[in-house]
Amino acid sequence: MSSTYGKLFKISTFGESHGQAVGVVVDGCPAGIPFDAEFIQSELDRRKPGQSRITTQRREADEFQVVSGVFEGKTTGTPIAMLVWNGDQRSKDYSHIAQQFRPSHADFTYQAKYGVRDYRGGGRSSARETVARVAAGALAKLVLKNIGIDIKAYVSQVGKLKLEKSYQELNLALAEENAVRCPEPALAQEMFDYIDETRKKGDSIGGIVDCVVTGTPVGLGEPVFDKLHAELGKAMLSINAVKGFEYGSGFAGVEMYGSEHNDEFFIEDEQVKTKSNHSGGIQGGISNGADIYFRTAFKPVATIMQDQASVDQEGNIVTVSGKGRHDPCVVPRAVPIVEAMAALVLVDFYLRNRATQGLAYEQEEKLEF
């Protein structure tokens, strides 16, 4: 089972939902980066459970510990290990499905692939694993901050309730002022009420998280298999419950003529820019300096508080009863996870660019000599 992501800024996550702890080892973080523990904790607080009545009521402080890689407030260039202890597991809530396969969960596929599974909260397949991603992503954000890259995500849709405005028309800072993390206050309240009603019915609902990256330099990404948008798509689709990804004009672009869709170039302040941004800041798999924007769709949470038909490991027809503490809608807590994964993609490509440019510079120096 691979639990490692990245090429130069590489992370390896570990831990299960009902194990002792979850954590991450970050390898390849540059030395000398100010390690802002308060910021990293604030990112974990945005993801942690129990934030409101429309999230899981599992109570976890999610306070992280640094085990290695930091000295006198700065990264040392060695592997950085961060650990978060689990404190509010209720494993007995899952004893009834020890032999049963819950609909739309990873129970059957894990059992078929490995011959064994941790049924307590889904084990490794639980979204609890994303604690480690957010911790690593917060560190990646600290690196990106030094080069002026900023990442902001927000909830744009819950069920059929949609935010019709583009990100340019919104004050994205307002997203953090409500429990849903939608930057339109009136719609955010509608979404909150809708999620709450869904929760009371013992059901769940899906939604969409939009993300905007500003300050990206030209040149991040590779032109063939490691295209920037392909890597962003892989990163987002690796998040629990994600069912779709689109960037720039996305699927709506198929309704446009090429003459409408093409982003025409012009010169401003001696820089090449585009009049429109249907490309979503990425052309040929490489960032072009414009805002990168994409959308990530999350399915309704698979665990619902209603009886469902299924089978067990012996092939018997069974009724699966929903128990435990679960989010009726994942998107409010998914916002920092989307940001974290975007940060991990961008910092890795930034370091790959820096390594390539450094090599080119050294070769140039040798030629001149």
Side-chain angles (χ1 to χ4, degrees):
M1 179 186 293
S2 174
S3 295
T4 299
Y5 179 79
K7 292 195 174 181
L8 292 186
F9 194 96
K10 186 179 295 185
I11 71 166
S12 295
T13 69
F14 59 88
E16 293 80 35
S17 178
H18 286 235
Q20 292 187 42
V22 290
V24 62
V25 176
V26 180
D27 199 5
C29 181
I33 301 297
F35 189 83
D36 189 341
E38 185 175 338
F39 172 73
I40 294 174
Q41 186 60 59
S42 71
E43 292 292 276
L44 289 169
D45 289 345
R46 295 171 68 208
R47 194 223 71 94
K48 73 179 181 181
Q51 296 181 39
S52 72
R53 68 173 182 267
I54 62 168
T55 65
T56 171
Q57 293 306 294
R58 178 170 173 170
R59 298 292 176 178
E60 295 285 357
D62 281 356
E63 294 178 354
F64 80 103
Q65 296 178 356
V66 182
V67 180
S68 65
V70 178
F71 181 69
E72 294 183 341
K74 292 185 178 181
T75 59
T76 62
T78 60
I80 299 168
M82 292 180 280
L83 191 65
V84 174
W85 295 98
N86 292 329
D88 188 25
Q89 311 97 311
R90 294 183 186 173
S91 300
K92 65 179 185 300
D93 288 345
Y94 299 92
S95 57
H96 68 294
I97 53 95
Q99 303 296 320
Q100 299 177 344
F101 299 139
R102 295 169 296 171
S104 289
H105 283 76
D107 299 342
F108 168 70
T109 51
Y110 266 56
Q111 186 70 40
K113 181 176 177 65
Y114 298 107
V116 63
R117 65 184 172 94
D118 184 348
Y119 60 83
R120 304 167 303 167
R124 189 68 179 147
S125 67
S126 168
R128 182 73 183 148
E129 177 267 342
T130 60
V131 174
R133 302 183 188 215
V134 172
L139 181 59
K141 281 186 175 183
L142 292 175
V143 179
L144 295 174
K145 181 181 179 181
N146 290 335
I147 55 173
I149 295 179
D150 185 55
I151 303 170
K152 284 187 172 61
Y154 60 93
V155 173
S156 65
Q157 184 170 342
V158 171
K160 295 182 179 180
L161 297 174
K162 300 179 182 179
L163 182 58
E164 301 295 344
K165 296 179 180 178
S166 67
Y167 74 88
Q168 296 97 330
E169 303 173 88
L170 298 165
N171 179 2
L172 299 187
L174 295 177
E176 291 300 316
E177 295 187 5
N178 61 76
V180 180
R181 293 200 166 90
C182 172
E184 188 69 39
L187 181 60
Q189 186 60 53
E190 287 185 57
M191 290 176 170
F192 184 94
D193 294 339
Y194 183 44
I195 296 171
D196 200 28
E197 290 172 10
T198 301
R199 176 187 65 83
K200 292 175 181 177
K201 293 189 294 185
D203 217 330
S204 63
I205 192 69
I208 293 176
V209 173
D210 288 18
C211 188
V212 183
V213 184
T214 57
T216 308
V218 179
L220 299 189
E222 303 293 334
V224 186
F225 295 113
D226 285 354
K227 290 179 168 67
L228 179 53
H229 59 271
E231 204 61 35
L232 284 169
K234 175 183 177 180
M236 297 308 136
L237 289 165
S238 76
I239 300 171
N240 308 64
V242 169
K243 302 297 285 185
F245 170 83
E246 64 176 8
Y247 77 102
S249 61
F251 288 100
V254 304
E255 300 177 7
M256 304 172 69
Y257 290 110
S259 55
E260 300 173 286
H261 192 270
N262 288 346
D263 298 320
E264 294 184 355
F265 292 109
F266 71 101
I267 301 294
E268 182 179 272
D269 299 327
E270 300 183 350
Q271 293 184 333
V272 176
K273 296 187 177 181
T274 58
K275 294 180 180 179
S276 56
N277 191 19
H278 300 302
S279 300
I282 304 169
Q283 293 172 327
I286 301 170
S287 63
N288 66 3
D291 293 347
I292 295 172
Y293 66 95
F294 58 87
R295 311 177 79 217
T296 305
F298 290 78
K299 71 175 183 178
V301 178
T303 299
I304 58 176
M305 298 300 110
Q306 298 179 14
D307 290 347
Q308 300 177 88
S310 189
V311 298
D312 62 18
Q313 292 179 193
E314 304 301 322
N316 301 309
I317 301 298
V318 297
T319 298
V320 176
S321 299
K323 293 182 180 179
R325 299 158 295 174
H326 305 276
D327 295 82
C329 180
V330 299
V331 290
R333 293 174 60 218
V335 166
I337 303 170
V338 167
E339 291 180 0
M341 292 307 299
L344 291 169
V345 171
L346 291 165
V347 77
D348 196 48
F349 274 124
Y350 166 68
L351 293 176
R352 289 163 67 177
N353 254 28
R354 195 173 73 167
T356 302
Q357 291 168 354
L359 179 61
Y361 177 77
E362 288 176 10
Q363 291 174 336
E364 183 178 335
E365 287 288 294
K366 289 177 180 179
L367 287 172
E368 290 180 352
F369 180 75

